[in-house]
């Protein structure tokens, strides 16, 4: 018996012997040895390894391999090592034992260990395995570098791996290039990402799409579109990346225009992810006809209504004002996750059905999934009325006490806005002072708006000056404070603010609204008189304003 065979037998007895039944071993001895002699191209133990579901089974198979003297075959022991190191049900410690006893590990074995260590964030051990590769003169392959790059996040480490890739001539590997482009872009190093892309002699659609995604994730939508337009060919994934990038950066109309371009291209069929991105854009700008087309397309092509798509449709119809259609989709869902419930609650709230939204939340508490932080944003939006202030405060306390969710600044922002608009300005100020985090511009802006509405002039002036210091380039902050000075009749204060804006180079962004009619989105600026029907539009708006004022007076009389 060879020394190696003696070692394997000893290891079998000490490490795995306790896991194998004697009768099973005996039977396998006969069957496997017979099978192995007949064929080495597809022996039964390789098929067993492929079906292996856990370390108990793996150790049994490994024991048989050792007992039969087959552990000297590289392809067998490599499969055992791979399972231990890479599988979710593997055992990296066991993999180390196996690996350290392989006399001449091949690159497949090294890659398995590198992947295992990097997956467990043990980068030092992973790098030591790579160092051993270089010491032994084994040639790394593309898989070696992708195994390391998948988990590293430090820019200097990415640079080191990139240097090794260039040194060893793997800069033309498509998968390596696309992963490098992605890694650099996730660290915000778009110049390096573009350099890797440009230096590659061979680029496929994945590389192009990775660069587009990188630019979009760093807010460089214009650069992303130039790359997209320069692509020699496009597929649904590249269209989806560009459309998603537009949506991430709030370029909703551009996303819809891109989708219209895609619809005219018969060679590319829209994917589910692309449809969802465009649906989000349609919801944001109220492009009802385009969103409705997507819904019809899903039905006509028998595409699956998964949880994400159903939630996106609920959000779309609710934001376009078709709350009944949103409710129908919600009720038809066999399974409803927390996003679906949250979307429906928010949809009811923004359409004025506050009580229905809160009732749905109470139903969710009884039989739905556990609410999360986003759910409470929807719930606080449903409390958007002065009669529901106490309910909002009760739920704010319930968040942490019952569900262990500590309120974020967005949750406090909802409550501050509610208190300030309903005239409880002092209470809003107290809440701001007791917040566990520093208030941002949005929260101070809500308080300033409340001061302006309810005539808290002195407090409003102090908050307004603080806001301008906090966000000196935000034109809206100057406008709010100027409105307060105008209300006071302090035109000197108004002129002083205008002069300050000019000196600081603050750009005034005009407010605008939009509406879709027959598939065409009409955009309006403040005091806009460019539309051919502007006189009729203002007449209707004035009438609506009078009716709302009358309703508020009547509602206040009964409250």
């Amino acid at each position: 018996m060879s020394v190696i065979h003696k070692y394997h037998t000893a290891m079998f007895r000490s490490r795995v012997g306790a896991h194998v039944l004697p009768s099973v071993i005996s039977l396998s001895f006969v069957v496997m040895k017979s099978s192995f002699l007949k064929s080495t191209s597809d022996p039964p133990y390789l098929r067993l390894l492929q079906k292996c579901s856990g370390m108990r089974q793996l150790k049994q198979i490994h024991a048989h391999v050792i007992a039969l003297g087959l552990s000297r075959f590289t392809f067998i022991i490599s499969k055992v090592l791979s399972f231990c190191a890479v599988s979710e049900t593997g055992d990296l410690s066991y993999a180390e034992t196996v690996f350290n006893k392989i006399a001449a590990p091949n690159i497949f074995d090294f890659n398995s260990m590198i992947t295992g260590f990097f997956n467990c964030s043990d980068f030092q051990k992973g790098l030591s395995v790579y160092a051993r590769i270089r010491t032994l003169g084994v040639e790394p392959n593309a898989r070696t570098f992708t195994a390391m790059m998948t988990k590293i996040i430090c820019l200097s480490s990415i640079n080191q791996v990139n240097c090794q890739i260039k040194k060893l001539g793997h800069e033309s590997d498509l998968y390596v290039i696309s992963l490098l482009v992605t890694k650099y872009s996730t660290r915000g190093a778009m110049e390096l990402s573009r350099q890797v892309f440009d230096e590659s002699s061979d680029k496929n659609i994945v590389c192009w799409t990775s660069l587009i995604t990188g630019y979009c994730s760093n807010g460089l939508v214009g650069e992303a579109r130039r790359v997209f337009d320069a692509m020699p060919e496009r597929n649904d994934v590249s269209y989806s990346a560009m459309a998603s990038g537009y949506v991430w950066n709030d370029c909703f109309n551009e996303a819809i225009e891109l989708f219209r371009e895609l619809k005219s291209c018969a060679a590319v069929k829209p994917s589910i992810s692309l449809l969802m991105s465009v649906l989000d854009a349609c919801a944001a700008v109220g492009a009802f006809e385009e969103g409705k087309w997507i819904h019809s397309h899903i039905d006509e092509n028998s595409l699956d209504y998964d949880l994400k798509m159903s939630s996106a449709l609920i959000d779309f119809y609710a934001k376009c004002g078709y709350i009944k259609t949103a409710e129908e989709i919600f009720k038809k869902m066999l399974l409803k996750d927390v996003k679906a419930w949250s979307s429906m609650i928010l949809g009811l709230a923004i359409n004025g059905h506050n009580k229905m939204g809160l009732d749905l939340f109470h139903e969710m508490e009884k039989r739905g999934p556990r609410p999360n932080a986003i759910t409470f944003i929807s719930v606080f939006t449903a409390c958007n009325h002065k009669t529901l202030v106490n309910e909002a405060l009760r739920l704010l306390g319930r968040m942490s006490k019952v569900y262990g969710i500590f309120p974020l600044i967005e949750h406090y922002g909802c409550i501050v806005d509610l208190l300030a608009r309903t005239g409880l300005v002092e209470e809003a100020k107290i809440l701001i002072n007791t917040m566990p985090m520093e208030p941002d511009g949005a929260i101070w802006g809500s308080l300033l708006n409340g001061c302006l509405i309810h005539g808290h002039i002195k407090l409003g002036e102090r908050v307004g000056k603080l806001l301008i210091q906090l966000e000196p380039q935000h034109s809206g902050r100057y406008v709010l404070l100027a409105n307060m000075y105008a209300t006071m009749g302090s035109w000197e204060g108004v002129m002083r603010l205008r002069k300050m804006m000019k000196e600081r180079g603050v750009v005034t962004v005009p407010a605008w609204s939009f509406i879709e009619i027959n598939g065409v989105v009409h955009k309006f600026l403040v005091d806009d008189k460019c539309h051919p029907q502007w006189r009729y539009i203002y007449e209707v708006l004035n009438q609506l304003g009078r009716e709302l004022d009358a309703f508020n007076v009547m509602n206040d009389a009964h409250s």
Side-chain angles (χ1 to χ4, degrees):
M1 184 180 291
S2 67
V3 175
I4 294 176
H5 194 181
K6 286 179 180 177
Y7 159 73
H8 282 310
T9 304
M11 185 173 72
F12 157 63
R13 288 170 179 165
S14 62
R15 293 292 302 273
V16 301
H19 298 278
V20 188
L21 296 175
S23 59
V24 176
I25 296 175
S26 301
L27 178 61
S28 297
F29 261 109
V30 178
V31 174
M32 284 192 172
K33 191 168 184 178
S34 174
S35 299
F36 180 75
L37 292 173
K38 289 179 181 178
S39 172
T40 57
S41 60
D42 186 26
Y45 36 79
L46 287 185
R47 292 196 295 273
L48 286 173
L49 281 169
Q50 290 172 352
K51 296 177 181 179
C52 188
S53 61
M55 284 303 298
R56 181 178 175 82
Q57 291 181 7
L58 183 283
K59 289 177 180 179
Q60 290 178 347
I61 296 167
H62 191 198
H64 295 163
V65 168
I66 294 169
L68 288 169
L70 304 179
S71 56
R72 66 184 181 276
F73 292 99
T74 303
F75 63 95
I76 303 247
I77 207 66
S78 292
K79 289 288 185 182
V80 171
L81 177 66
S82 176
F83 181 91
C84 299
V86 179
S87 172
E88 290 182 2
T89 57
D91 183 340
L92 193 55
S93 176
Y94 192 88
E96 278 191 271
T97 303
V98 175
F99 179 71
N100 290 333
K101 299 302 178 180
I102 299 176
N106 58 31
I107 192 59
F108 181 86
D109 301 327
F110 282 115
N111 289 347
S112 294
M113 292 307 298
I114 290 172
T115 302
F117 284 129
F118 272 79
N119 283 348
C120 294
S121 298
D122 195 340
F123 302 130
Q124 281 301 118
K125 281 191 175 181
L127 291 173
S128 69
V129 173
Y130 179 76
R132 185 177 167 189
I133 290 177
R134 304 297 293 133
T135 302
L136 294 175
V138 178
E139 189 68 25
N141 58 18
R143 176 62 185 162
T144 310
F145 299 112
T146 56
M148 290 192 288
M149 279 195 294
T150 301
K151 292 294 181 178
I152 58 175
I153 56 174
C154 177
L155 188 58
S156 61
S157 298
I158 300 171
N159 286 333
Q160 289 175 352
V161 175
N162 189 16
C163 288
Q164 288 292 305
I165 289 168
K166 290 180 178 179
K167 183 178 179 180
L168 298 170
H170 288 280
E171 64 267 32
S172 60
D173 186 276
L174 296 174
Y175 187 61
V176 170
I177 294 306
S178 64
L179 190 54
L180 261 178
V181 167
T182 300
K183 278 294 173 181
Y184 275 126
S185 63
T186 55
R187 301 305 302 163
M190 283 311 302
E191 288 185 6
L192 293 173
S193 183
R194 184 60 188 256
Q195 183 181 335
V196 169
F197 178 82
D198 289 339
E199 289 177 353
S200 176
S201 57
D202 187 18
K203 297 180 276 282
N204 65 358
I205 201 166
V206 177
C207 299
W208 286 86
T209 305
S210 297
L211 187 61
I212 290 169
T213 302
Y215 275 128
C216 289
S217 61
N218 284 279
L220 303 170
V221 189
E223 287 294 328
R225 184 56 196 253
R226 280 187 279 277
V227 173
F228 180 81
D229 291 338
M231 291 181 73
E233 61 173 330
R234 306 183 189 105
N235 61 8
D236 64 306
V237 178
S238 51
Y239 271 99
S240 181
M242 191 67 246
S244 299
Y246 275 137
V247 174
W248 293 337
N249 291 278
D250 296 339
C251 301
F252 305 115
N253 288 318
E254 289 84 349
I256 294 169
E257 283 300 319
L258 180 67
F259 182 63
R260 287 170 180 159
E261 176 189 320
L262 169 64
K263 287 197 295 182
S264 64
C265 177
V268 181
K269 291 185 178 180
S271 64
I272 287 292
S273 61
L274 173 59
L275 294 174
M276 286 180 59
S277 294
V278 179
L279 205 55
D280 289 340
C282 293
V285 300
F288 178 71
E289 293 299 327
E290 204 66 55
K292 190 178 178 183
W293 185 94
I294 292 174
H295 192 183
S296 299
H297 175 81
I298 294 168
D299 288 339
E300 290 168 6
N301 291 274
S302 301
L303 300 178
D304 290 335
Y305 277 88
D306 61 6
L307 287 171
K308 290 183 179 179
M309 177 56 76
S310 297
S311 296
L313 284 168
I314 290 169
D315 184 61
F316 161 71
Y317 279 113
K319 286 179 178 176
C320 287
Y322 290 81
I323 191 63
K324 291 296 181 186
T325 308
E327 284 185 279
E328 289 171 8
I329 294 170
F330 181 76
K331 288 175 181 177
K332 286 179 182 178
M333 293 177 68
L334 298 177
L335 293 174
K336 301 180 182 74
D337 63 357
V338 66
K339 186 176 181 180
W341 284 88
S342 302
S343 297
M344 194 65 243
I345 293 168
L346 181 63
L348 290 165
I350 63 177
N351 282 276
H353 301 288
N354 304 65
K355 187 177 183 304
M356 289 176 65
L358 290 173
D359 288 344
L360 186 62
F361 172 68
H362 297 318
E363 183 183 341
M364 179 185 183
E365 286 187 299
K366 292 176 182 177
R367 65 181 189 88
R370 188 178 181 83
N372 62 13
I374 296 173
T375 308
F376 279 96
I377 294 290
S378 301
V379 171
F380 294 144
T381 305
C383 294
N384 190 20
H385 193 273
K386 63 182 181 181
T387 60
L388 295 170
V389 170
N390 291 333
E391 178 67 3
L393 293 172
R394 186 185 73 83
L395 290 170
L396 182 66
R398 190 172 171 80
M399 272 184 71
S400 54
K401 290 179 181 177
V402 176
Y403 296 105
I405 303 170
F406 293 99
L408 304 173
I409 196 165
E410 292 82 3
H411 299 106
Y412 283 109
C414 291
I415 305 299
V416 168
D417 181 63
L418 174 62
L419 292 171
R421 282 188 298 101
T422 54
L424 300 172
V425 175
E426 286 299 324
E427 287 81 351
K429 181 186 171 185
I430 293 170
L431 180 61
I432 291 172
N433 291 333
T434 57
M435 282 168 48
M437 72 283 291
E438 285 294 318
D440 60 6
I443 286 181
W444 287 121
S446 295
L447 184 60
L448 176 57
N449 190 49
C451 291
L452 180 61
I453 293 171
H454 299 285
H456 292 259
I457 305 299
K458 290 184 179 179
L459 176 60
E461 188 175 10
R462 290 201 306 270
V463 172
K465 288 179 179 178
L466 188 151
L467 255 178
I468 289 172
Q469 291 178 356
L470 188 65
E471 298 179 339
Q473 294 299 313
H474 194 306
S475 62
R477 307 313 185 197
Y478 294 87
V479 172
L480 267 179
L481 186 55
N483 289 342
M484 177 160 287
Y485 281 136
T487 303
M488 296 164 56
S490 177
W491 300 109
E492 182 183 342
V494 174
M495 294 303 295
R496 188 169 62 250
L497 280 174
R498 287 180 178 174
K499 183 182 177 183
M500 190 185 297
M501 289 179 71
K502 187 175 181 180
E503 290 173 350
R504 294 180 176 180
V506 179
V507 179
T508 303
V509 181
W512 56 276
S513 60
F514 53 84
I515 186 171
E516 184 196 38
I517 301 173
N518 297 326
V520 179
V521 176
H522 299 265
K523 183 177 178 179
F524 301 94
L525 299 174
V526 177
D527 296 326
D528 197 343
K529 295 180 181 179
C530 296
H531 196 277
Q533 294 178 288
W534 70 271
R535 292 182 187 277
Y536 177 67
I537 292 169
Y538 278 109
E539 185 180 322
V540 173
L541 284 173
N542 291 333
Q543 178 61 30
L544 286 172
R546 287 191 292 270
E547 291 183 14
L548 283 171
D549 288 341
F551 175 80
N552 287 332
V553 170
M554 183 179 66
N555 198 41
D556 288 341
H558 287 87
S559 61

